[in-house]
Amino acid sequence: MSKKMGKLGILLLAPIMALGLLSTTAFAETSSLPDTTTERVLTIYKYAPTTENGTPGDGTAVAGIATGKTPLENVEFEIYKVTAAPAGTTPTQAELTAIMLPANLIATVRTDANGYAKYSFGTGTTNDGRYLVVEKANAAVQTAANPFYLSVPL
């Protein structure tokens, strides 16, 4: 009798376990998916070079907007769409030559009297991708910032 009960128990348990597998739900981590409602914006602040806390003004990010700095007006930055995946995080000369073509130029932004420039890529994912930002030569700037890649969204 106990063998029959064991077999009956297995026969009843197997369908219940199978139903349990069917009801399993997978959830995606939504915070890692691109937001489709947020405006994508590039903001640039350009200041005259200084030494702050012993660190040269070399473009390294600082917390907050700089105070007591001299903003540089009329400094232009070109923004290019990158169509092929670059080899690394810093553009090589060959990549610059290949990307900096008139067909890839999407915008030129200029800093205002506060050293501030802004470009909006729009809202949603339409313009998400990789871009190259290049500071143009300017008499007020001794050494231009190095060209850099920008991923939208960040």
Side-chain angles (χ1 to χ4, degrees):
M1 183 82 171
S2 68
K3 282 188 175 184
K4 284 185 179 183
M5 291 299 282
K7 287 181 181 179
L8 182 60
I10 291 174
L11 288 174
L12 291 174
L13 189 58
I16 293 171
M17 290 175 63
L19 285 174
L21 291 174
L22 292 176
S23 67
T24 302
T25 305
F27 292 98
E29 175 62 43
T30 57
S31 64
S32 64
L33 299 175
D35 176 356
T36 60
T37 61
T38 304
E39 180 183 18
R40 274 73 161 141
V41 177
L42 168 63
T43 303
I44 298 173
Y45 290 92
K46 184 69 176 181
Y47 300 100
T50 63
T51 300
E52 183 177 285
N53 299 328
T55 305
D58 61 2
T60 303
V62 294
I65 298 172
T67 56
K69 306 285 184 194
T70 304
L72 294 177
E73 186 176 9
N74 294 320
V75 178
E76 292 183 328
F77 294 84
E78 295 177 328
I79 304 168
Y80 294 89
K81 178 73 174 163
V82 177
T83 56
T89 57
T90 304
T92 65
Q93 187 58 50
E95 289 171 337
L96 292 173
T97 302
I99 297 167
M100 293 176 63
L101 301 172
N104 295 333
L105 180 65
I106 63 159
T108 300
V109 295
R110 178 180 291 130
T111 57
D112 64 14
N114 297 312
Y116 171 80
K118 172 184 171 182
Y119 178 74
S120 174
F121 293 91
T123 301
T125 60
T126 303
N127 294 316
D128 286 0
R130 185 164 283 196
Y131 295 86
L132 172 70
V133 180
V134 180
E135 182 178 339
K136 293 178 70 175
N138 185 304
V141 179
Q142 184 177 5
T143 304
N146 291 331
F148 61 91
Y149 289 122
L150 171 70
S151 292
V152 176
L154 296 176

